[in-house]
Amino acid sequence: MSARPFLADALERKGRWLSYRWLILRRLSQLLVLAGFLAGPCCGVWILEGNLASSLLLGQVPLADPFTFIQSLAAGHSPAPQAMLGAALVAGGYLLVGGRLFCAWACPINPVTDLAGWLRRRLGIKSGFMPSRHFRLALLPACLLAAWLTGSLAWEYVNPVTGLMRGLVFGLGWTGGLVGAIFLFDLFVVQRGWCGHVCPMGAFYGLLGKTALLRVSAPRRRACTDCMDCFTACPEPQVIRPALKGKGTPLILDSNCTTCGRCVDVCGEKVFRLTHRFDRKLDEAGPPAHPPS
Amino acid sequence: MDDGGKDRGTFTGFLDAGRRKFLLQGAGSACAAGVAGLGLMAHVQRARALPSQALRPPGALPEADFDAACVRCGLCVRACPFTTLNLAPAGGGIPVGTPYFEARSVPCEMCTDIPCKAACPTGALAPVLDDIAQARMGVAVLADPERCLSLQGMRCDACFQACPIKGKAITMERLHKPGGMTVFMPSVHAACTGCGKCEHDCVPQVAVIRVMPVAQVRGELERGRRRSEAALGMPPADRPAVSAPPRPKTR
């Protein structure tokens, strides 16, 4: 409804910190992951050794990306104990807390596509090309099939997610060009194109997080003024509608929600909150149209 | 999905608008993903070839298995106490992200505890390797004998001296050239681990003795045989690849 600029409501009512809180924390988290990997080679402080594909935390705890791990299985390699334990730890963590938490809080590509999204909005670029969001769900098995048929970690030859982190820690090469291509793709071709439509790794973590505990809820949805700021900010805007406009649970249960918390930030009415999946409470901001369970 | 009067038993009844949209979108996505998958496979087939100067760390599985096992994490690179190992950057002609070393730049120092292999979380560097002398990272080849200083009659045995298992992998064999000149020819034997020290120390500006991936020199089968022998703890036998026909017994 409002012709007010994006975020104006939130800034006016909540102030700067509350309008940017989760975004700032998310950037800090992404930096922390990168710093964890870079502290060793740069300063000799070994926090995380290796890269996103597989690493050692503090020289003790093995961690491994479960998506790379299943690609290796599909390629026909029988798993070794350390890789199995690492993949189980990481998969278990995301399974419990939130699958696409990885995308919003750890993935090195996220700042790139976020920047493209921000620039796209500021420049007012609109493109009509809107491919299906199911493409990534089809690409995921295609990647595993390619791994099986070639007997190699096929997607890892091009994967910009593990590739960028590996590049930043071990030497970039042409990966910078690939990342630039994704930036331009998101900026000019498809809105939120890479993370929202293509990335099979994101699709994998999405499937992993089907039952995850950490969720965004819209308990004060009756206070919604239809300003559309949350839809503008959200990288997966289709996940908001059922919770915000529906009659059922206020929880955003769609596993494509990356739990980035940006909707919490940008809402001037404090409609959204980060909570757990059993918190189905609806705050009263008017007569409930439909009583909470 | 109640279609009211439509007959759900028939094909058109089953395909109401919602379903049709869903199926069309699904089919479109599947086709696009199939094309992307094919493109990916084509790319992999081209990008997976290992160039002859790139050597794998000790214990690396045969290249085809290595490509399925290695997750490109770089823990072997971190474990290497020298600057030998690197992860291949994209676009460098070596399968992206995989660990390698180039003998001419920094050869393998053949650590007895093989820390790179110990650090490998996936078994791409096979845990069965426990004696670095059994490693077959590559094999030295006298690539261009005419440029070999020793074969030209000069007193050079840089490769022989550089070899960490001196006298076993490389010997200097006396060679009588036509015309009466006697020279020494560096000869590589089966004990060669492919550490690359000889190539590193080779005197001419472009190395004459080169260490190349075993499969490129001997083929995968030969490598497999040697690997299994190493796993069984058998000493590496210096057998010819093709055995000569048995000589008829004469008495």
Side-chain angles (χ1 to χ4, degrees):
Chain A
M1 88 178 183
S2 77
R4 291 170 65 91
F6 173 68
L7 206 62
D9 283 346
L11 281 172
E12 193 177 284
R13 289 163 184 239
K14 304 198 299 184
R16 209 158 263 282
W17 166 243
L18 286 181
S19 302
Y20 286 103
R21 179 174 49 171
W22 293 110
L23 182 64
I24 291 169
L25 290 176
R26 223 152 51 76
R27 293 290 176 256
L28 279 177
S29 159
Q30 289 161 346
L31 271 176
L32 218 62
V33 175
L34 181 63
F37 282 118
L38 281 177
C42 295
C43 323
V45 185
W46 295 100
I47 300 165
L48 279 164
E49 235 175 302
N51 59 39
L52 283 180
S54 181
S55 59
L56 264 187
L57 177 64
L58 301 171
Q60 296 296 329
V61 188
L63 298 171
D65 167 39
F67 180 53
T68 317
F69 180 75
I70 60 162
Q71 281 182 75
S72 183
L73 291 187
H77 178 64
S78 41
Q82 189 182 330
M84 219 173 344
L85 177 62
L89 284 176
V90 173
Y94 284 112
L95 192 75
L96 196 68
V97 186
R100 292 203 65 195
L101 215 56
F102 170 82
C103 303
W105 294 78
C107 175
I109 289 291
N110 175 276
V112 178
T113 55
D114 270 0
L115 180 66
W118 176 81
L119 205 60
R120 191 183 165 92
R121 196 176 70 235
R122 293 306 293 264
L123 298 178
I125 299 170
K126 305 229 187 295
S127 78
F129 188 43
M130 188 71 180
S132 164
R133 286 191 183 265
H134 296 307
F135 175 64
R136 53 188 163 181
L137 279 175
L139 193 55
L140 175 59
C143 286
L144 298 180
L145 200 62
W148 180 59
L149 290 172
T150 57
S152 72
L153 276 71
W155 185 249
E156 295 309 304
Y157 277 83
V158 292
N159 190 350
V161 177
T162 50
L164 180 57
M165 187 60 90
R166 187 175 61 233
L168 291 172
V169 182
F170 289 93
L172 208 50
W174 281 88
T175 305
L178 182 63
V179 174
I182 288 171
F183 176 79
L184 294 176
F185 177 69
D186 269 30
L187 182 58
F188 292 117
V189 186
V190 181
Q191 185 177 16
R192 297 283 178 184
W194 181 265
C195 306
H197 298 84
V198 182
C199 183
M201 198 163 169
F204 173 82
Y205 277 97
L207 292 177
L208 200 61
K210 282 264 184 219
T211 57
L213 293 179
L214 190 63
R215 297 281 86 184
V216 174
S217 181
R220 279 170 47 80
R221 63 186 174 196
R222 279 179 202 83
C224 174
T225 61
D226 291 328
C227 73
M228 301 301 281
D229 276 5
C230 55
F231 288 97
T232 307
C234 182
E236 303 273 350
Q238 80 282 5
V239 307
I240 297 180
R241 190 168 298 278
L244 185 64
K245 297 293 159 195
K247 298 265 184 253
T249 175
L251 285 165
I252 296 178
L253 291 172
D254 192 317
S255 62
N256 280 323
C257 170
T258 65
T259 329
C260 69
R262 194 69 186 121
C263 53
V264 183
D265 281 346
V266 302
C267 182
E269 311 296 331
K270 298 186 184 170
V271 165
F272 297 97
R273 193 170 64 205
L274 269 179
T275 181
H276 56 85
R277 82 181 292 122
F278 303 110
D279 175 16
R280 289 190 286 191
K281 208 163 51 232
L282 263 174
D283 290 0
E284 300 310 322
H290 182 82
S293 62
Chain B
M1 292 256 174
D2 200 326
D3 303 324
K6 275 190 193 166
D7 178 7
R8 309 197 71 182
T10 68
F11 188 61
T12 43
F14 177 73
L15 275 184
D16 61 79
R19 275 209 179 106
R20 189 155 51 230
K21 187 174 171 228
F22 177 80
L23 285 179
L24 274 177
Q25 268 198 359
S29 291
C31 286
V35 171
L38 282 174
L40 181 64
M41 283 167 62
H43 172 69
V44 168
Q45 292 302 349
R46 265 187 306 158
R48 73 196 308 187
L50 193 66
S52 63
Q53 82 280 9
L55 303 172
R56 293 294 187 208
L61 300 175
E63 195 55 23
D65 299 338
F66 186 82
D67 204 16
C70 174
V71 295
R72 292 100 162 114
C73 69
L75 283 172
C76 54
V77 177
R78 291 286 177 250
C80 178
F82 305 94
T83 55
T84 307
L85 292 178
N86 288 299
L87 287 191
I94 299 165
V96 61
T98 56
Y100 75 103
F101 69 99
E102 288 185 7
R104 192 63 166 168
S105 318
V106 190
C108 172
E109 297 289 339
M110 284 178 59
C111 311
T112 49
D113 53 347
I114 327 179
C116 49
K117 180 220 69 173
C120 180
T122 64
L125 305 181
V128 294
L129 181 75
D130 51 10
D131 174 10
I132 189 65
Q134 301 297 329
R136 295 295 178 267
M137 296 169 267
V139 61
V141 176
L142 199 63
D144 192 7
E146 288 193 346
R147 285 193 299 113
C148 174
L149 300 184
S150 181
L151 277 175
Q152 289 173 37
M154 283 174 259
R155 286 195 58 170
C156 176
D157 58 355
C159 52
F160 173 79
Q161 296 292 350
C163 184
I165 45 174
K166 200 146 105 189
K168 290 188 189 137
I170 300 178
T171 54
M172 301 301 281
E173 301 292 334
R174 200 183 294 265
L175 190 73
H176 299 289
K177 278 191 165 179
M181 191 177 170
T182 299
V183 295
F184 289 91
M185 181 179 74
S187 308
V188 181
H189 305 283
C192 174
T193 63
C195 74
K197 287 270 185 177
C198 52
E199 177 177 337
H200 181 259
D201 283 10
C202 184
V203 174
Q205 193 177 9
V206 175
V208 171
I209 193 161
R210 305 268 184 90
V211 180
M212 308 207 315
V214 178
Q216 290 183 21
V217 180
R218 292 184 174 144
E220 287 289 353
L221 270 178
E222 181 71 0
R223 184 190 163 104
R225 185 177 68 78
R226 284 181 199 278
R227 284 192 53 76
S228 58
E229 280 177 0
L232 291 169
M234 287 158 61
D238 195 9
R239 284 180 257 160
V242 180
S243 55
R247 201 179 279 181
K249 279 187 179 168
T250 50
R251 283 250 296 165

